[in-house]
Amino acid sequence: MDSFSSLIRTASHEQHVAAETSTFMSDLLGGRLGVAAYARYTEQLWFVYEALESTAERLAADPVAGPFVRPELFRLPALERDLAHLRGPGWRAGLSALPATRAYADRVRECAERWPGGYVAHHYTRYLGDLSGGQIIRDRAEKTWGFARKGDGVRFYVFDAIPNPAAFKRDYRELLDRIGVDDLEKQRVVSECKRAFALNTAVFGALGEEFPLSA
Ligand code: HEM
């Protein structure tokens, strides 16, 4: 049987393509959106990472999810700096989640509270993606809206505490391969990973509706 890390990667491949080629992402990567759309997207990420990270400490001792909880991944402080840059000092008072974002964050929290394997699925879907395609998004954002390289506005994509992302991802995949659950539970985690991608795509869909291109 394939390793769990390849299983989870292969199983979500199609949805990865769907997320990558969603109208909102294509417009964002194509430099066709204004900075308000980027700020709105960044704001949505805040809700997702708040759900992932405010629950992380409690999961750190969990035998299944615990090994994945690594402070060097934490994104919330970086997101907050980006939002202060994008929206100004009052950013927190103006935070609002799209219904699709609320559904996504609620699901993450539900897994964090009741199902460590499900939390791992969400953890993988976000952080491994951020370490990979996130770098492409950062590059486009810097060019499109003129943020300083790796500076305020794109700090979310900068993992200061991970100097070698390729090595980190390799270690992460090894952690996945050693996950202490049986095959049935692995299948459930794979299903949750697909759900995580679908939740992301739904957020892109909602953002695409909010920021349709006039052209
Ligand atoms: C425009 C958007 C995106 C681009 C350009 C992109 C690009 C990439 C690239 C190039 C990789 C390969 C990295 C490698 O082989 O090490 C990757 C991996 C990954 N991406 Fe994306 N991605 C995008 C959006 C997303 C989204 C929205 C998600 C989910 C929230 C996501 C989740 C992942 C995951 C989990 C991996 C790791 C796969 C693995 O090695 O197991 N990506 N992405």
Side-chain angles (χ1 to χ4, degrees), residues 86-101:
L86 293 163
R87 292 264 176 90
W91 66 271
R92 201 179 280 271
L95 277 179
S96 83
L98 289 158
T101 305

Side-chain angles (χ1 to χ4, degrees), residues 85-172:
H85 182 74
L86 293 163
R87 292 264 176 90
W91 66 271
R92 201 179 280 271
L95 277 179
S96 83
L98 289 158
T101 305
R102 179 72 58 204
Y104 184 5
D106 284 352
R107 180 61 186 162
V108 171
R109 201 176 298 279
E110 191 173 47
C111 288
E113 281 163 10
R114 299 201 211 131
W115 179 29
Y119 180 83
V120 171
H122 287 282
H123 192 278
Y124 161 80
T125 306
R126 284 299 344 167
Y127 294 111
L128 235 56
D130 299 333
L131 282 164
S132 314
Q135 300 316 302
I136 299 164
I137 300 174
R138 175 177 62 76
D139 181 67
R140 295 310 307 172
E142 289 167 0
K143 292 195 170 110
T144 309
W145 300 296
F147 303 123
R149 188 171 137 74
K150 300 192 175 182
D152 285 340
V154 291
R155 290 194 189 274
F156 168 73
Y157 302 98
V158 183
F159 289 84
D160 282 327
I162 302 180
N164 185 345
F168 188 94
K169 284 194 282 186
R170 258 196 316 275
D171 291 349
Y172 193 102

Side-chain angles (χ1 to χ4, degrees), residues 158-207:
V158 183
F159 289 84
D160 282 327
I162 302 180
N164 185 345
F168 188 94
K169 284 194 282 186
R170 258 196 316 275
D171 291 349
Y172 193 102
R173 290 190 191 107
E174 273 172 31
L175 275 185
L176 284 173
D177 292 340
R178 288 201 307 268
I179 194 171
V181 302
D182 63 20
D183 285 353
L184 184 60
E185 175 70 353
K186 282 182 187 165
Q187 289 301 335
R188 289 195 197 102
V189 175
V190 167
S191 299
E192 188 63 26
C193 180
K194 292 185 181 177
R195 187 165 173 178
F197 270 88
L199 288 162
N200 275 282
T201 307
V203 173
F204 290 151
L207 286 165

Side-chain angles (χ1 to χ4, degrees), residues 20-33:
E20 233 178 307
T21 55
S22 67
T23 305
F24 182 76
M25 256 305 140
S26 307
D27 287 344
L28 193 117
L29 293 178
R32 293 185 290 275
L33 291 171

